[in-house]
Amino acid sequence: MEEKTLFVDVILTLHLPSSFRYRVPRVLNDKIAVGQMVVVQFGRKKIYSAIVVNITEEVPKTYTAKYILDIIDLSPIVTQNQITFFSWIASYYVAYIGDVLSAALPSSFRLKSETILQISPYFLGDISLLDQEEQQIFLLVSQKGKANISDLQDIFSQQKLLSIIANLIKKDVLITDEELKNIYTSKKESCIRLCEPYSSNEKERKTLFEKLDSKPGYASQNKVMLTFFSLMQGNRIVKISDLIEKKCSNSSIQTLIKKGVLEKYEIEVSRLKELLATKQVNEIILNQEQLLAYNQILEHWQEYPVSLLYGVTGSGKTEVYIKLIDHVIRQGGQVLYLIPEIAITSQLIQRLEKYFGNRIGVYNSKYSIMERAEVWQRCKTEDKQKRFNIILGSRSAVFLPFKDLQLVIIDEQHDASFKQSEPVPHYNGKDAAMYLAKLFNAKTLLASATPSVESFYLAQEGKYQLLKLEHRYSKTLLPEIFIADIKEYSKQRAMYGIFTKMLYDAINECLENKKQVIIFQNRRGFAPRIKCNICGYEAKCPNCDVSLVLHKHTHNLVCHYCGYSMEVLSACPQCHSHSLRTVGIGTEKIEEELGIYFPKARVSRMDIDSTRQKDAYTKIIKDFASGETDILTGTQIVTKGLDFDNVGLVGVVDADALLHYPDFRAYERAFQTLTQVSGRAGRRNQRGKVVIQTYDPYNQILRDVCEHDYFRMYSSQITDRKRLNFPPFCKMIKITLQYKDREQLKNKSLQYALRLKEIFGSRMFGPQEPTIARIRNLYHQEIWLKIENKISYSLSKTRLREWNEEFLAQKENSSLRIYIDVDPV
């Protein structure tokens, strides 16, 4: 019987819009499967890893298919549900499927000719454990120091090369350049055991000890053996590191290995932080309000696939989540628990592991490449003892290969951090997670103290089940909020640096009462601008249309858009005067002034600059939670979901940047941010206090915040949006065109917009320059589309995609960049 000729459609992790068809060598017909990673040649010489998304017998009609070169891993690394999900992301967000796959896969799965390889710093140097081909690659990379995969293509056949390299990466022998930036812990441990005949013959062991004991020169080796047998009690695995900890000589260990007394071998260990093996708390007790919400969710599980839990800050939403997670796990299902901010992770893990032990996996950008790869594998494994039942993560966790997803929890669902801004695709983790839940027929729970206007509208319309927790779990009242008018305090000369007398006195009172303080300012650095009093010169970024931000700790002026930095100026470069002054307030300046006015207080700062290292969040939060820190200042990180027992006061240094932002969501965002940060105060027993400093004390937003009136904010916003036709009454798409020349960009944008006008008519707005017109030496023009709900959104995006491809295909536009942001936030 003639064997079938099979073809596969594969997706490469490149900026490519579609899959490509390759022929399967007949020897691989019985091994090929959807979801596998294979090696393919793309272009003349380049080789890449790719994912199989379809197997067919249909021959390509317009070209001769190349053969796939090899299968890297016989076990599929992605599931059919993931392939469907990736396709949806590409379609909904008008993105290339190759970019989606690149965003989804850990980089250890994304091998290509350009990948740079180095010897892993955790490789123990024993190449005898490698086969001949692996040894050859090891020696070549070792001699070069680093090597491109393409450097090795002249020596090894393309059919085998990526497979061998993938195995060496799995064995922790090689590491890619991306991984070098993210190393955390080793995956292998070197251990020792007795060789024959000493392992099975007691007489031989006795003879060995007599020999070692009789000669003074063998004292060090004798100590190794005695320590080894001591550690071996109870069939324990003995690691070389354990012996060295017991002051055994490494050279003596190696000598005993060479003599054939001991044998070295490796065991695989997890890179992930070990959680409690078993749960410590058996049951969680809900109050009446929580129990009602929990029961309503269970009763309407199928009727309402999506539920919105509106709960004031401190109302105990997390306890409801835990109860629901427990319900799902008892049924053998998996849970995806999405959070907007990595800083929340450490507190949540501590709470969750008490109930669920080590069944929790964490997935976010602070974890190393190889740690994320391990979470990936443990999420999809068939071994239920090793599989993670709960994944706690940021937006990228939606890409994991779930096997039996039954519940998706999206905490702080209003948060804009769920939206991916860079790089493409510009997906929204919240909306993507809701579609993922739909794929699995799973339940979605959205939750927030300040739900997004769009979500609350859908709940009011009956599309989502609406649940409410309107009282704090501890029965403590919501914090009392005061407005401090900076103008008035300045006139009265009642300012203490950047603090009004009201805030200064409140901090003093709080510290005297042994309570803690949180100070919020949504600007990092010391000062947003440096200006000359004489000539008006302002330090600007040479690559972007923004001011350079002073970072006093590093003594640099930094651009927060492109990363450009320069040393702090000692004199004005324009008029050479020494009259440079700082304008505005950043978290570094707040930290400094807190040290001046409250010298006895222990102050800590939490922003992007102070939390670049992996465990920095955990340490800062742990110190504050344990009372080691009196005052914590920070950016929006401190507003999100953190739960502290002893916070008596929250201070907002300058609310005006939130109040006057040019965006139709500005009112909503300001209310959400101020309400969320206010909610950190007084969460246990005693009512908290909040002081908000502003130049605009009569602003309606502040009134709604002071009165904790979400419903009034929502009512005013939904009325305005209906009148002006903004979401949720329409869908919006932002199109950004970028080019190196400003005038040429204006002309190209007008040409692009003319055709869009023909397609979309009055639904198109622009082109126009955004507030920041130049970033990284590229000028920007923006075009906005408003698509009414009654118009087909998918058809509109299809027509947009077609025109986009047609326009970029024109030779004169080939260097133009066009980014499409669907549902911008």
Side-chain angles (χ1 to χ4, degrees):
M1 182 177 173
E2 190 176 341
E3 203 168 353
K4 291 179 181 178
T5 300
L6 296 182
F7 296 86
V8 290
D9 295 326
V10 304
I11 303 173
L12 293 91
T13 55
L14 300 173
H15 183 61
L16 296 168
S18 62
S19 60
F20 293 84
R21 187 157 293 180
Y22 284 79
R23 188 171 175 178
V24 180
R26 288 186 176 174
V27 294
L28 297 179
N29 273 8
D30 294 335
K31 297 178 181 178
I32 200 75
V34 170
Q36 284 177 332
M37 186 161 63
V38 297
V39 184
V40 298
Q41 182 181 345
F42 189 77
R44 289 188 177 181
K45 293 183 179 179
K46 300 292 178 80
I47 59 171
Y48 299 91
S49 59
I51 299 295
V52 176
V53 295
N54 182 44
I55 300 173
T56 181
E57 293 180 44
E58 189 177 332
V59 181
K61 294 177 181 177
T62 56
Y63 59 92
T64 302
K66 296 177 183 176
Y67 282 96
I68 65 167
L69 302 178
D70 198 7
I71 298 173
I72 290 181
D73 201 328
L74 290 175
S75 174
I77 65 165
V78 302
T79 66
Q80 184 59 59
N81 269 344
Q82 280 180 291
I83 293 168
T84 305
F85 181 59
F86 299 159
S87 297
W88 177 84
I89 293 268
S91 172
Y92 188 86
Y93 291 103
V94 196
Y96 281 4
I97 189 68
D99 290 330
V100 176
L101 191 65
S102 185
L105 295 182
S107 69
S108 54
F109 296 161
R110 306 194 309 259
L111 296 174
K112 53 188 177 182
S113 295
E114 295 85 355
T115 301
I116 296 172
L117 302 169
Q118 293 189 21
I119 303 300
S120 168
Y122 294 121
F123 179 59
L124 301 166
D126 189 355
I127 65 171
S128 63
L129 298 172
L130 309 177
D131 65 31
Q132 188 175 352
E133 289 174 326
E134 290 174 342
Q135 287 184 28
Q136 277 184 274
I137 289 178
F138 170 82
L139 291 170
L140 283 167
V141 176
S142 182
Q143 287 166 10
K144 289 173 175 282
K146 62 172 70 173
N148 270 343
I149 289 178
S150 56
D151 293 339
L152 307 173
Q153 284 178 234
D154 297 332
I155 304 160
F156 293 92
S157 66
Q158 290 183 342
Q159 281 83 350
K160 287 188 174 181
L161 184 58
L162 283 197
S163 299
I164 300 168
I165 289 169
N167 283 332
L168 287 170
I169 289 172
K170 286 178 187 175
K171 292 178 180 179
D172 263 359
V173 177
L174 296 182
I175 196 164
T176 70
D177 55 337
E178 288 180 75
E179 290 158 26
L180 282 173
K181 301 169 191 170
N182 295 283
I183 292 171
Y184 175 44
T185 57
S186 174
K187 193 184 176 182
K188 302 281 176 92
E189 278 275 8
S190 287
C191 304
I192 53 171
R193 58 192 169 208
L194 281 172
C195 295
E196 289 289 352
Y198 307 108
S199 60
S200 58
N201 192 318
E202 190 174 340
K203 186 178 177 182
E204 290 287 347
R205 287 200 296 270
K206 187 176 179 183
T207 303
L208 172 66
F209 273 110
E210 286 173 355
K211 182 180 177 182
L212 294 175
D213 200 33
S214 63
K215 297 184 179 180
Y218 288 171
S220 181
Q221 294 176 36
N222 193 33
K223 181 182 178 182
V224 170
M225 294 307 300
L226 289 169
T227 308
F228 171 77
F229 277 104
S230 170
L231 292 171
M232 233 182 81
Q233 298 300 317
N235 295 319
R236 181 181 161 189
I237 291 171
V238 180
K239 300 174 186 174
I240 291 178
S241 57
D242 294 336
L243 290 170
I244 292 171
E245 269 185 34
K246 298 287 186 183
K247 309 297 182 188
C248 290
S249 162
N250 188 44
S251 62
S252 297
I253 297 169
Q254 298 304 322
T255 300
L256 287 164
I257 291 170
K258 287 177 184 176
K259 286 181 176 180
V261 176
L262 296 175
E263 176 189 7
K264 185 168 77 170
Y265 68 101
E266 292 180 338
I267 60 168
E268 188 174 298
V269 293
S270 174
R271 291 180 175 83
L272 307 175
K273 180 185 173 184
E274 288 297 321
L275 299 180
L276 297 168
T278 54
K279 61 183 182 180
Q280 293 182 326
V281 180
N282 291 322
E283 193 62 42
I284 190 164
I285 307 300
L286 302 181
N287 64 24
Q288 189 174 353
E289 203 173 31
Q290 291 170 319
L291 189 60
L292 178 62
Y294 171 72
N295 287 332
Q296 285 180 335
I297 292 168
L298 292 187
E299 288 168 14
H300 300 281
W301 192 275
Q302 296 299 332
E303 182 185 350
Y304 287 103
V306 181
S307 297
L308 175 63
L309 178 61
Y310 162 70
V312 298
T313 54
S315 58
K317 295 185 288 295
T318 306
E319 281 71 23
V320 177
Y321 308 158
I322 291 171
K323 197 77 172 174
L324 288 168
I325 293 168
D326 186 56
H327 170 79
V328 168
I329 288 178
R330 287 175 189 272
Q331 297 178 346
Q334 288 177 301
V335 178
L336 171 59
Y337 189 152
L338 277 191
I339 52 176
E341 184 57 65
I342 295 169
I344 310 170
T345 305
S346 58
Q347 275 199 336
L348 275 176
I349 281 290
Q350 289 173 17
R351 295 177 74 175
L352 292 174
E353 72 173 320
K354 291 177 183 177
Y355 293 94
F356 306 112
N358 59 4
R359 308 311 301 154
I360 311 160
V362 180
Y363 197 81
N364 61 48
S365 61
K366 285 290 181 182
Y367 277 61
S368 77
I369 303 293
M370 295 308 287
E371 283 176 305
R372 278 180 271 169
E374 185 175 335
V375 174
W376 184 287
Q377 297 291 3
R378 288 186 62 179
C379 187
K380 77 178 183 70
T381 179
E382 297 293 341
D383 185 344
K384 292 191 176 181
Q385 294 303 310
K386 290 185 177 179
R387 185 189 300 168
F388 285 131
N389 296 102
I390 307 162
I391 294 293
L392 175 67
S394 53
R395 58 179 178 261
S396 59
V398 298
F399 293 119
L400 286 168
F402 296 97
K403 298 292 287 185
D404 187 17
L405 187 63
Q406 292 184 17
L407 174 64
V408 172
I409 296 168
I410 304 171
D411 200 8
E412 309 294 353
Q413 65 85 217
H414 66 276
D415 203 292
S417 300
F418 283 120
K419 180 75 172 186
Q420 168 88 349
S421 56
E422 284 188 355
V424 291
H426 301 304
Y427 70 96
N428 190 311
K430 178 189 77 172
D431 296 335
M434 292 172 70
Y435 179 80
L436 183 68
K438 188 178 178 182
L439 272 181
F440 281 89
N441 196 28
K443 177 77 174 181
T444 299
L445 178 64
L446 306 171
S448 176
T450 54
S452 68
V453 167
E454 289 95 325
S455 293
F456 201 79
Y457 173 77
L458 291 171
Q460 295 283 63
E461 291 291 297
K463 303 286 179 63
Y464 300 164
Q465 179 187 23
L466 180 60
L467 308 151
K468 296 179 183 179
L469 300 176
E470 299 186 276
H471 303 91
R472 284 192 153 183
Y473 183 77
S474 61
K475 298 183 180 178
T476 309
L477 292 173
L478 288 166
E480 194 173 8
I481 301 175
F482 299 89
I483 304 299
D485 186 347
I486 299 173
K487 293 195 304 291
E488 288 302 314
Y489 281 101
S490 298
K491 286 177 186 175
Q492 297 167 17
R493 297 187 178 180
M495 295 292 294
Y496 294 79
I498 60 174
F499 307 113
T500 59
K501 187 176 188 302
M502 181 190 289
L503 181 54
Y504 174 83
D505 290 344
I507 294 172
N508 257 331
E509 182 185 354
C510 207
L511 295 174
E512 286 171 6
N513 293 331
K514 307 298 181 187
K515 292 284 185 180
Q516 291 170 296
V517 179
I518 291 176
I519 303 294
F520 167 66
Q521 171 68 354
N522 203 25
R523 280 181 179 153
R524 61 189 176 102
F526 186 84
R529 294 156 64 200
I530 295 280
K531 200 167 185 177
C532 176
N533 275 337
I534 305 298
C535 68
Y537 165 82
E538 191 172 317
K540 298 266 191 180
C541 174
N543 309 316
C544 311
D545 288 343
V546 294
S547 299
L548 293 173
V549 178
L550 171 62
H551 285 253
K552 206 167 182 181
H553 278 68
T554 58
H555 202 67
N556 279 335
L557 295 171
V558 180
C559 174
H560 287 176
Y561 284 82
C562 72
Y564 171 85
S565 68
M566 59 182 283
E567 286 191 9
V568 174
L569 300 167
S570 58
C572 174
Q574 216 163 256
C575 69
H576 309 294
S577 73
H578 293 274
S579 299
L580 292 171
R581 64 184 176 92
T582 61
V583 180
I585 302 164
T587 48
E588 282 185 15
K589 184 169 185 177
I590 293 171
E591 183 182 30
E592 183 180 277
E593 298 231 340
L594 286 168
I596 294 169
Y597 291 102
F598 308 98
K600 293 182 180 178
R602 295 163 296 179
V603 180
S604 185
R605 173 169 55 89
M606 188 158 71
D607 54 27
I608 291 174
D609 301 311
S610 66
T611 55
R612 293 192 186 279
Q613 294 183 340
K614 178 180 176 180
D615 294 321
Y617 286 119
T618 304
K619 185 179 187 314
I620 292 168
I621 291 168
K622 185 179 177 182
D623 288 349
F624 192 67
S626 64
E628 295 293 315
T629 304
D630 299 311
I631 306 175
L632 176 64
T633 182
T635 55
Q636 59 179 350
I637 298 172
V638 302
T639 71
K640 300 178 183 181
L642 296 170
D643 189 7
F644 300 113
D645 291 349
N646 196 40
V647 176
L649 172 70
V650 167
V652 179
V653 170
D654 179 14
D656 295 332
L658 296 169
L659 303 180
H660 306 296
Y661 195 77
D663 187 282
F664 76 92
R665 288 193 176 95
Y667 192 125
E668 175 191 7
R669 288 277 162 73
F671 178 89
Q672 288 166 340
T673 301
L674 293 172
T675 299
Q676 289 286 341
V677 74
S678 299
R680 303 312 111 202
R683 294 172 76 93
R684 300 290 185 277
N685 304 320
Q686 193 172 341
R687 191 181 190 188
K689 185 176 181 179
V690 180
V691 176
I692 299 174
Q693 296 188 161
T694 177
Y695 285 96
D696 187 9
Y698 302 107
N699 194 295
Q700 182 62 44
I701 300 172
L702 297 179
R703 182 181 167 192
D704 290 345
V705 170
C706 288
E707 296 176 14
H708 306 284
D709 199 338
Y710 172 83
F711 300 102
R712 185 166 64 196
M713 183 280 294
Y714 168 77
S715 296
S716 70
Q717 285 300 287
I718 205 69
T719 301
D720 286 348
R721 293 195 192 181
K722 188 172 184 178
R723 179 171 56 86
L724 298 170
N725 191 32
F726 277 112
F729 301 102
C730 74
K731 297 283 190 179
M732 295 187 71
I733 299 173
K734 181 174 77 170
I735 304 158
T736 304
L737 296 90
Q738 299 177 3
Y739 196 64
K740 58 188 176 182
D741 183 271
R742 189 175 201 159
E743 291 306 313
Q744 286 188 53
L745 177 61
K746 285 182 180 179
N747 293 331
K748 290 177 185 294
S749 299
L750 286 170
Q751 292 171 26
Y752 184 89
L754 281 173
R755 175 63 181 141
L756 275 191
K757 192 77 173 176
E758 291 176 14
I759 300 170
F760 294 102
S762 60
R763 300 180 183 92
M764 191 204 81
F765 301 87
Q768 61 191 23
E769 278 192 346
T771 308
I772 300 170
R774 182 175 58 109
I775 299 173
R776 299 185 186 95
N777 278 324
L778 289 174
Y779 291 92
H780 291 56
Q781 287 276 325
E782 288 180 354
I783 298 171
W784 289 79
L785 299 178
K786 273 187 182 181
I787 312 297
E788 305 97 310
N789 291 341
K790 64 183 178 182
I791 303 295
S792 170
Y793 201 28
S794 60
L795 179 60
S796 299
K797 287 184 288 186
T798 299
R799 298 189 72 183
L800 173 59
R801 185 197 294 270
E802 288 170 352
W803 168 235
N804 205 53
E805 296 294 331
E806 185 183 332
F807 188 76
L808 288 174
Q810 297 170 22
K811 188 176 180 181
E812 62 272 21
N813 298 326
S814 58
S815 57
L816 183 72
R817 297 183 187 179
I818 302 178
Y819 295 100
I820 297 171
D821 188 359
V822 175
D823 302 337
V825 297

